[in-house]
Amino acid sequence: SGQCPVCNHQLEDSDLTEEEYNNLRERIIRDVIHGTDTFRKTSPQEFEAFQTFVENRLPFDIVIDGLNVSHIKARRMQCENLFDAVNCLAKENARLLVLGRKHMLINSSNWKREVMKEMQNKADFFFAENISEDDAFLLYATLRSGKHCKFVTRDFLRDHKACLSDSLTRHLFRKWQRGHQIVKKKKFSSLFIQQPAFSYDCVVQTTGDTWHIPYKDSFEEKYSYQVPRKWLCIQQQ
């Protein structure tokens, strides 16, 4: 719930204000998506086609990095991993956009044509060239869909945060990411079980006489979408 069981203080909301969201969206589209590196692995023509595709189908509720999600479970067919994710996320009639690659349309040991057809009945698919970099596609479609739209990828998006020129915008990007990135919940399950985005922000915060500090028991690399589960509540006596 985001409410501290010790002092009953409500943690800071993870949502950006309308002004913050609009500013972040403009900066990401300008600095990251239309920045100098955007077309390193995609052509301007392909990205224009994608923009038209998205604008004609807005808004989406969830945008899925299909190739990334298809590798969640190494010993299963890639199309099965993606199929589980689409089935899980489509349950509440969410409008889904899956970002795929053209090789997924070729019947193979990892990509079964009948499975792909069934998925396309439940979600919109955009198939990019096999060499294209799809993070820009993911960010564009999610941000254009509005504040409610979430995204699914195991990528950390660090390079894109680094493209933002000032610390305030980078902070807003991380906050938006923490509140909108959906990840797989159970590491060893064969099915995709979603870990929902938090409604509160997982950062050190204070009301003046009380501090709330998130922490982890053991040292591990802190991925931007994996937040600590434990909190210290420190009160001034």
Side-chain angles (χ1 to χ4, degrees), residues 70-78 81 110 154:
S70 74
H71 287 92
I72 280 178
K73 193 77 174 175
R75 295 182 181 178
R76 303 180 77 216
M77 280 194 299
Q78 290 172 24
N81 287 328
N110 265 313
R154 297 178 300 157

Side-chain angles (χ1 to χ4, degrees), residues 73-109:
K73 193 77 174 175
R75 295 182 181 178
R76 303 180 77 216
M77 280 194 299
Q78 290 172 24
C79 63
E80 285 184 338
N81 287 328
L82 184 55
F83 185 73
D84 284 346
V86 168
N87 270 345
C88 172
L89 298 168
K91 281 180 181 174
E92 297 178 1
N93 296 318
R95 291 203 62 226
L96 308 181
L97 170 61
V98 180
L99 303 175
R101 302 292 176 85
K102 288 186 175 177
H103 75 262
M104 295 177 179
L105 294 170
I106 301 171
N107 200 40
S108 66
S109 58

Side-chain angles (χ1 to χ4, degrees), residues 131-142:
I131 61 167
S132 295
E133 180 62 61
D134 51 16
D135 285 351
F137 294 81
L138 181 81
L139 289 171
Y140 181 84
T142 306

Side-chain angles (χ1 to χ4, degrees), residues 88-226:
C88 172
L89 298 168
K91 281 180 181 174
E92 297 178 1
N93 296 318
R95 291 203 62 226
L96 308 181
L97 170 61
V98 180
L99 303 175
R101 302 292 176 85
K102 288 186 175 177
H103 75 262
M104 295 177 179
L105 294 170
I106 301 171
N107 200 40
S108 66
S109 58
N110 265 313
W111 298 100
K112 298 299 181 185
R113 189 164 290 145
E114 60 274 15
V115 178
M116 292 301 295
K117 283 183 179 178
E118 191 170 345
M119 278 193 279
Q120 289 176 74
N121 291 329
K122 299 183 177 186
D124 283 302
F125 273 73
F126 182 86
F127 296 98
E129 295 294 337
N130 294 324
I131 61 167
S132 295
E133 180 62 61
D134 51 16
D135 285 351
F137 294 81
L138 181 81
L139 289 171
Y140 181 84
T142 306
L143 288 163
R144 283 292 294 126
S145 290
K147 283 177 67 176
H148 75 288
C149 186
K150 293 181 167 52
F151 63 95
V152 185
T153 182
R154 297 178 300 157
D155 284 348
F156 315 134
L157 306 179
R158 290 174 180 148
D159 291 346
H160 306 295
K161 188 190 78 167
C163 289
L164 298 167
S165 56
D166 64 276
S167 59
L168 175 60
T169 309
R170 288 194 293 271
H171 165 73
L172 292 177
F173 180 80
R174 285 287 303 279
K175 184 174 181 179
W176 172 78
Q177 184 182 8
R178 286 191 295 266
H180 289 80
Q181 187 163 1
I182 296 171
V183 295
K184 189 175 188 291
K185 188 174 184 179
K186 292 188 178 179
K187 191 172 183 180
F188 301 108
S189 170
S190 62
L191 296 175
F192 181 94
I193 302 173
Q194 102 183 59
Q195 170 67 60
F198 287 103
S199 60
Y200 55 87
D201 200 10
C202 194
V203 292
V204 176
Q205 43 195 279
T206 180
T207 57
D209 57 356
T210 302
W211 285 80
H212 289 95
I213 303 172
Y215 74 95
K216 289 185 177 181
D217 283 330
S218 58
F219 176 80
E220 57 188 64
E221 186 177 5
K222 182 183 180 298
Y223 302 140
S224 51
Y225 62 76
Q226 292 179 330

